[in-house]
């Protein structure tokens, strides 16, 4: 049981770290879209916007996964304290 808790905690931390990195990458792509430039074509802007939205959506998904792991950990902790 203790190994399962440790594994779940590590997953929660990993999900959160990946989500933060993806959030930062998505913001950089979005900044590339909103900063004006004469050299960007319409296709470049569309690719950056799609990439930005994809990274942000994946980031949100990973934050949700991290939260679910945290809730499972809290439930497991409550179950252990009730058994004592």
């Amino acid at each position: 049981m203790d190994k399962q808790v440790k594994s779940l905690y590590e997953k929660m931390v990993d999900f959160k770290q990946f989500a933060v990195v993806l959030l930062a990458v998505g913001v950089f792509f979005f900044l590339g879209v909103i900063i004006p430039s004469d050299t960007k074509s319409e296709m470049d802007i569309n690719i950056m916007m799609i990439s930005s939205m994809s990274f942000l959506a994946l980031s949100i998904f990973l934050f949700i996964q991290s939260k679910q792991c945290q809730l499972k950990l809290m439930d497991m902790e409550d179950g252990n304290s009730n058994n004592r």
Side-chain angles (χ1 to χ4, degrees):
M1 180 90 161
D2 191 34
K3 191 170 188 170
Q4 184 181 9
V5 170
K6 183 178 178 184
S7 173
L8 196 58
Y9 177 77
E10 289 172 352
K11 280 184 182 181
M12 179 189 73
V13 171
D14 285 345
F15 283 147
K16 195 171 284 190
Q17 288 175 346
F18 285 136
V20 169
V21 169
L22 290 174
L23 182 65
V25 172
V27 167
F28 282 125
F29 274 117
F30 187 71
L31 287 174
V33 170
I34 62 173
I35 294 175
S37 174
D38 295 334
T39 59
K40 288 189 279 190
S41 68
E42 189 71 29
M43 190 172 100
D44 291 339
I45 292 174
N46 287 337
I47 289 172
M48 283 190 289
M49 188 59 107
I50 290 169
S51 299
S52 176
M53 292 301 125
S54 299
F55 280 117
L56 294 176
L58 190 55
S59 175
I60 290 169
F61 173 73
L62 288 176
F63 275 123
I64 291 170
Q65 290 293 101
S66 175
K67 187 64 174 179
Q68 287 177 348
C69 287
Q70 184 180 17
L71 292 175
K72 284 180 187 176
L73 280 172
M74 291 172 67
D75 286 343
M76 291 171 86
E77 184 179 294
D78 288 343
N80 285 343
S81 64
N82 288 339
N83 290 336
R84 291 181 187 175

